[in-house]
Amino acid sequence: MGYCGSSMLCGAPIFCPIGISAMATAVAWEKEPMDSNTLYYSLDLVSGSGHALNGEQRAALQTSLVLLKKNYKFNRVMFWGKILGIKEDYFIAQGKGHDELKDKQFLYSFNCMEWHLLPPADDAMVGEVSRAAKGRFMGDPSHEYTDYPLKREGDEATEAVELVKVTEERRLAVTVHLIDEEVSVVPRGAFNRTHLGLMNNNRCFEGLSHAEAGKLENFLHFAKPKKLKKKLIQEQADLDPSIDFLDPLSDDVPKGQWSLQLENASSVCVLRSLLWMGLTFYHVPMTPQHGYVYFGYGCKNLDLPFML
């Protein structure tokens, strides 16, 4: 799923009641979020969205994430989420390198044990997938989507448009990339930027206050900023360059595409995306715990403007 503390989350099979034991919470704070050590804890905090993994899947993930980190020499490996297919479902993991924002790779699995690297998504691949791939995921990486172009008849000759074919593995890579670029979330201050330009976990981050957690502007897109440089000089005057280098969710257009609620007797702040329905983010105020996970069909909600 996404991040916990500074890692990723996912939906949970066990509902977490109002209280979380002090011992369990203390243990989770000492570990990296949404990795093998804090997987159960993180999943429980997003269980209110109704997403779940069964006991076998969670046990398999807890073991395989450790092996992934060792075999691929990642700094951290987190469970990112699950994309539902017709035949099979794709479980997604994310590996992190030295730079939390730039050094990341995605892997997929059908059984939470055997993992395969997804190819990096570029603009050309995104264009091909947007043309050819439609409907639900099949659950077969070799399945091929084909875009049959229409021929346009001119005055003198018939112009043929190039035929586009895309495998479902490439579609999966693009879908995961777009979801992560457009709706991955972190609290303000959870990451800082070093003098070398690297983005790292902010070890001094102790969480947002309850008042701050209720404001959308205190949550940021965990992706390369697109709107920050367009802000007026007066608007940038109050920003801290070491932590305010990402776009806040409050700048998203159209407005209203995020649902923010306080759950479990206001002990957990939960954000849900209406653009990519199935993305759930959580943050425990006054603690460094945060994370996100995606459980859905991998289809963008194109009807969003008509819902608001």
Side-chain angles (χ1 to χ4, degrees):
M1 157 162 177
Y3 271 89
C4 158
S6 67
S7 54
M8 313 201 102
L9 289 175
C10 151
I14 301 177
F15 177 72
C16 180
I18 292 178
I20 300 174
S21 71
M23 180 178 296
T25 305
V27 170
W29 291 351
E30 295 174 357
K31 306 296 183 181
E32 294 291 353
M34 219 38 192
D35 66 1
S36 59
N37 295 311
T38 59
L39 182 65
Y40 288 14
Y41 169 79
S42 301
L43 291 177
D44 287 345
L45 290 177
V46 294
S47 60
S49 296
H51 304 304
L53 293 178
N54 61 39
E56 181 181 353
Q57 292 166 344
R58 295 200 298 174
L61 278 172
Q62 193 170 32
T63 301
S64 64
L65 292 181
V66 176
L67 297 177
L68 279 180
K69 180 179 179 180
K70 178 181 179 181
N71 294 340
Y72 288 91
K73 301 186 186 306
F74 291 130
N75 281 6
R76 294 193 299 125
V77 177
M78 285 104 19
F79 178 57
W80 184 90
K82 179 180 176 182
I83 291 183
L84 308 175
I86 295 176
K87 298 179 181 178
E88 298 284 349
D89 299 330
Y90 294 100
F91 297 90
I92 310 296
Q94 185 182 65
K96 294 281 189 173
H98 293 290
D99 189 300
E100 289 283 336
L101 189 60
K102 299 177 182 177
D103 300 337
K104 55 185 177 183
Q105 290 181 287
F106 294 98
L107 306 96
Y108 71 93
S109 173
F110 295 112
N111 57 11
C112 301
M113 289 298 294
E114 299 174 357
W115 295 88
H116 312 276
L117 272 175
L118 283 172
D122 53 26
D123 292 341
M125 190 188 298
V126 172
E128 292 175 354
V129 169
S130 64
R131 281 183 55 184
K134 301 290 188 298
R136 291 274 307 275
F137 276 83
M138 296 299 297
D140 176 8
S142 62
H143 177 76
E144 201 169 67
Y145 300 89
T146 305
D147 176 39
Y148 296 98
L150 297 175
K151 293 183 177 180
R152 294 175 291 178
E153 296 184 358
D155 295 333
E156 299 180 355
T158 299
E159 180 183 359
V161 183
E162 182 183 0
L163 182 70
V164 176
K165 293 185 178 182
V166 176
T167 64
E168 185 159 281
E169 184 178 62
R170 291 169 68 86
R171 181 190 180 188
L172 182 64
V174 167
T175 300
V176 171
H177 167 75
L178 291 178
I179 294 174
D180 206 62
E181 283 287 308
E182 296 182 9
V183 292
S184 59
V185 184
V186 293
R188 180 178 181 267
F191 289 85
N192 56 18
R193 186 166 53 185
T194 69
H195 65 286
L196 297 176
L198 297 177
M199 182 189 295
N200 295 318
N201 294 330
N202 184 358
R203 300 294 180 180
C204 298
F205 179 67
E206 297 181 353
L208 302 175
S209 67
H210 285 83
E212 291 171 334
K215 299 177 181 178
L216 199 59
E217 59 263 28
N218 289 317
F219 297 97
L220 313 174
H221 283 283
F222 196 58
K224 184 178 179 180
K226 300 177 181 178
K227 301 177 182 179
L228 195 62
K229 294 182 178 180
K230 298 180 181 179
K231 288 182 176 292
L232 300 175
I233 296 178
Q234 295 91 330
E235 295 175 311
Q236 298 185 34
D238 296 330
L239 301 181
D240 183 345
S242 65
I243 59 175
D244 292 320
F245 52 89
L246 300 173
D247 291 329
L249 303 190
S250 55
D251 289 347
D252 288 359
V253 178
K255 300 291 184 182
Q257 62 179 274
W258 290 96
S259 169
L260 190 157
Q261 287 129 5
L262 292 174
E263 299 183 355
N264 291 350
S266 299
S267 63
V268 181
C269 174
V270 178
L271 274 166
R272 296 181 177 88
S273 172
L274 301 182
L275 181 63
W276 288 95
M277 300 181 72
L279 189 287
T280 305
F281 165 86
Y282 84 87
H283 174 53
V284 181
M286 306 303 294
T287 77
Q289 295 304 302
H290 66 274
Y292 66 87
V293 68
Y294 178 80
F295 271 81
Y297 297 111
C299 298
K300 196 171 186 177
N301 182 15
L302 300 179
D303 295 328
L304 177 63
F306 305 98
M307 296 170 58
L308 301 176

